[in-house]
Amino acid sequence: MTKTSDRHPVDEVLPASQLFLYGLQHLLIMYAGCVAVPLVLGAALQLDTHTVAIIVNADLLVAGVATIIQSVGLTRFFGIRMPVVAGASFTFLTPMLLIGGEYGLPTMYGSMIAAGVFGMLLARPFSLILKYFPTMVTGCVITIIGLSLISVGADLVIGDDPEAADYASTRHILLAFAIIGVIVLVNRVFRGFVKNVSVLVGLAFGAVTAWFMGLTDFSSVGDVGWVGFSTPLHFGAPEFKLVPIIAMCVAMIVVFSEMTACVLAIGEAVGKEVTDRDMARGLATDGLAAFLAGFMNSVPDSTFGQNVGLISLTRVKSRYVITVTGVLLVLLGAIPKMGELVASLPGPVIGGAGLVMFAMTAAVGIQMLQKVDYDGNNNLLIVAVSLGIGMLPVAVPTIYQNFHHDAQFILGSAITATVLVAFVLNLLFNHLMAPKGTSEPTPVEAVRTGPPPDGGAEGTEPAGPASGAPQTSGTAGEGSD
């Protein structure tokens, strides 16, 4: 029997009180980012408060299950067995908005289920194609994710009906600016844990201020129970359509690229090597999370990179701390009143906090692009063309209105268009037509070359103010099945 002293710190079981306190810290770090995705999704699709609450609770539940599986493991196929926290990914938000708005929720959830199966099947062989998704490609995509979502945040602040009396209301805009100001102030004044929960502080400030302004209606909170789970397939039987499935699968590939770099960064933070088998189990769990999300009325979950900052801050590396975080997420997902309370936040509050998270995502993408070698190659052209084509449907939403419906859907997604253009151009210039040894480093190699210029441990999931936007930091897993 292995002695406790011989265990790697990742496998150490701490006293119950420490497990709870450290696990609660990780929950607070990621909570705002986790609930932000379903809140933005619900507001953008104009879902009623109760429906948004169902998605919020379902997401906390699925995120908790995925977190537990990542930290503890499930058979030899799932769970990286490292301190990996799972939460809603902004990478999936744009395709979800497009699919939900164009085809409806049953098709959106059908696409999630299909993408989840695709992810579980792709997990093992993904390492073979990772070289075709270097930092340049991933950086372009992360930048576009942030830039394309800024307009969504703005719509939440000003409203979506130009004929409404309160459209672009001055007080709504000032409330959003005030929330942004609080988030900036907390980041400037505080350090460590408080700084990491700045978005959560901003949301709390916004909720209280909105209540005094008469913008918040919490009456629906009293209409729901304290304990309960949403019924699987609450929005009806899933519908499977090829084009939406392709869009969601493209997002899954991007998430895989993000998670790979994220996990390696956490592996370095906890001092444990990540093997190919570890990585495959971790990626497969992301696929499983999307699969479960499709059935449980949730949104897809992936690795939350900002939590690695807390690992570095506390120097607590035990994966069982993260197991406690997962259990707490499941418990929160079983409290309908909590979901209803969060879902009652008005648009200006969600939009104000969302603008910071979306812009942070774009900033992290730009930070990644700084690591790309632009000397004596066509990489600057690839980045320019990818971002230019990706921004077209954001700047002019009707640009593809005369194209075939399926083409409109693919090209009209900023993320999908950017991935396709960046992938093809990178393949053409840096692989098929490039001299040997000139291809761009993969996100894995970028992480191993050292931290970003500011000394952080970020890459594809911004470690900014408790955001759930893409960030490159992660964890490592057990070396054996």
Side-chain angles (χ1 to χ4, degrees), residues 133 137 141 250-251 253-254 386 414-424:
F133 291 88
V137 174
V141 176
V250 168
I253 292 174
V254 175
S386 301
I415 295 176
T416 305
T418 303
V419 170
L420 292 177
V421 173
F423 173 79
V424 171

Side-chain angles (χ1 to χ4, degrees), residues 16 29 45 89 98 106 131 141 163 220 238 254 268 288 295-296 343 391 419 457:
I29 287 292
L45 296 181
S89 171
L98 289 172
K131 65 180 180 180
V141 176
E163 304 299 324
S220 63
V254 175
E268 292 183 5
L288 178 62
F295 282 100
M296 296 303 299
M391 283 298 295
V419 170

Side-chain angles (χ1 to χ4, degrees), residues 246-260:
I246 291 174
M248 198 68 77
C249 287
V250 168
M252 179 64 71
I253 292 174
V254 175
V255 164
F256 271 18
S257 181
E258 295 171 14
M259 184 191 176
T260 300

Side-chain angles (χ1 to χ4, degrees), residues 236-282:
E239 298 177 4
F240 302 94
K241 297 179 181 178
L242 180 60
V243 174
I245 288 174
I246 291 174
M248 198 68 77
C249 287
V250 168
M252 179 64 71
I253 292 174
V254 175
V255 164
F256 271 18
S257 181
E258 295 171 14
M259 184 191 176
T260 300
C262 200
V263 164
L264 287 171
I266 294 182
E268 292 183 5
V270 300
K272 192 169 186 180
E273 181 184 1
V274 182
T275 68
D276 290 343
R277 290 181 180 275
D278 294 332
M279 189 66 71
R281 291 198 304 265

Side-chain angles (χ1 to χ4, degrees), residues 310-331:
L310 187 58
I311 294 174
S312 301
L313 178 68
T314 63
R315 300 186 183 277
V316 176
K317 304 173 182 179
S318 172
R319 59 191 171 107
Y320 297 107
V321 166
I322 305 303
T323 305
V324 172
T325 303
V327 172
L328 293 175
L329 283 167
V330 171
L331 292 177

Side-chain angles (χ1 to χ4, degrees), residues 153-174:
D155 287 340
L156 292 176
V157 174
I158 66 175
D160 51 21
D161 182 9
E163 304 299 324
D166 61 351
Y167 179 76
S169 167
T170 302
R171 65 176 191 155
H172 290 181
I173 296 174
L174 291 178

Side-chain angles (χ1 to χ4, degrees), residues 41-42 44-47 93-109 244 248 405 409:
L41 176 71
L45 296 181
Q46 300 181 9
L47 304 178
L93 183 55
T94 298
M96 284 192 297
L97 290 174
L98 289 172
I99 296 169
E102 180 71 20
Y103 297 92
L105 294 182
T107 299
M108 186 184 79
Y109 284 115
M248 198 68 77
H405 179 269
F409 193 82

